[in-house]
Amino acid sequence: MWLTDSSIGRKVVMSVTGGALIFFLTFHMAMNCAALFSADAYNAICEFLGANWYALVGTVGLAILVALHFIFAIWLTLQNMKARGSQKYAVSERPKNVEWASQNMLVLGIIVILGLGLHLFNFWSKMQLQEIMGTENFIAGQAGATDGVFLIQYTFSKWYYCVLYIVWLAALWFHLSHGFWSAIQTLGWNGKIWFNRWKVIGNIYVTLVILGFVSVIAMFFFKSL
């Protein structure tokens, strides 16, 4: 199967799964921003996306996308290292016109995965997982699994979580900004004129998504002071 047997096929899998994950992040950011305007609206979204069958199907699908993206990233990285062989030790400087992010995508990806683990611990394990298990986990003895606004306030009232999340989001920005135009190139939408345009569009789009997440962190942190 060419999607797994060829380098181009593996890059296509990376591009498609990465694009799907960017769309999910856009939805997640928009959902979180609802908390900036209405606690009731955000909690209603959390209840709608709780342990219902469609939310569980979406969660499984998302987990598969993340797993495929990470596995194929490791696969391509090992393939590139094998192809370079001893030449990788002869390069001491970054090649011209090669972005820093493109040289550190694996490291950025690992930071993103670690941040995802932190996020699952802070939110998913205390919300949807509790509903799946049929248990009632009262956060700090005050709120249950569907009180998303309280959980955001509780988490981002702690400065160290704010710092960790901002580091995670910074790594995510580098990862996505490179991944966006790289996916466009892999899928063949890289004409001389539109390639640079896609890079600008991608940077703006990714920046807006990340700023949306940061705005939620900042608002709830300063609100807690």
Side-chain angles (χ1 to χ4, degrees):
M1 185 176 181
W2 74 276
L3 287 175
T4 56
D5 294 339
S6 69
S7 176
I8 296 298
R10 290 190 281 271
K11 287 181 180 179
V12 168
V13 173
M14 284 285 293
S15 300
V16 172
T17 55
L21 291 172
I22 289 176
F23 281 122
F24 168 76
L25 285 172
T26 303
F27 163 76
H28 194 19
M29 178 274 294
M31 182 186 78
N32 283 8
C33 284
L36 298 174
F37 306 101
S38 172
D40 290 338
Y42 182 75
N43 284 345
I45 295 172
C46 291
E47 187 171 356
F48 179 73
L49 297 176
N52 303 299
W53 70 267
Y54 45 82
L56 295 178
V57 169
T59 300
V60 172
L62 181 61
I64 292 173
L65 284 174
V66 172
L68 284 174
H69 194 73
F70 188 71
I71 290 170
F72 275 77
I74 296 291
W75 195 348
L76 283 169
T77 299
L78 293 176
Q79 178 188 5
N80 291 337
M81 291 175 63
K82 183 179 180 180
R84 287 197 304 267
S86 60
Q87 292 181 358
K88 64 186 177 180
Y89 299 106
V91 178
S92 59
E93 296 182 0
R94 178 165 54 93
K96 292 181 178 180
N97 300 324
V98 177
E99 295 183 347
W100 177 86
S102 69
Q103 296 292 299
N104 296 276
M105 285 297 278
L106 182 61
V107 174
L108 291 171
I110 291 173
I111 295 174
V112 170
I113 290 295
L114 291 175
L116 177 61
L118 176 67
H119 191 61
L120 291 175
F121 169 76
N122 279 329
F123 291 93
W124 180 76
S125 69
K126 296 171 183 174
M127 298 180 74
Q128 189 182 66
L129 180 60
Q130 296 300 322
E131 293 189 63
I132 294 172
M133 296 174 62
T135 57
E136 189 69 26
N137 179 35
F138 285 95
I139 306 157
Q142 298 183 52
T146 59
D147 195 344
V149 170
F150 178 85
L151 184 54
I152 292 176
Q153 180 70 71
Y154 176 75
T155 302
F156 296 126
S157 64
K158 297 173 173 56
W159 68 267
Y160 47 87
Y161 277 139
C162 294
V163 171
L164 289 174
Y165 269 82
I166 289 174
V167 170
W168 176 35
L169 290 170
L172 193 58
W173 184 90
F174 281 108
H175 191 79
L176 294 179
S177 61
H178 171 75
F180 188 98
W181 68 259
S182 180
I184 293 296
Q185 186 178 42
T186 297
L187 296 175
W189 303 333
N190 59 335
K192 291 182 178 179
I193 295 176
W194 270 98
F195 181 65
N196 287 330
R197 291 178 180 177
W198 277 120
K199 289 185 71 172
V200 173
I201 292 170
N203 285 340
I204 293 173
Y205 184 83
V206 168
T207 299
L208 290 175
V209 171
I210 297 301
L211 285 178
F213 285 115
V214 171
S215 66
V216 174
I217 296 172
M219 175 185 166
F220 281 91
F221 173 73
F222 288 112
K223 188 177 179 181
S224 68
L225 297 178

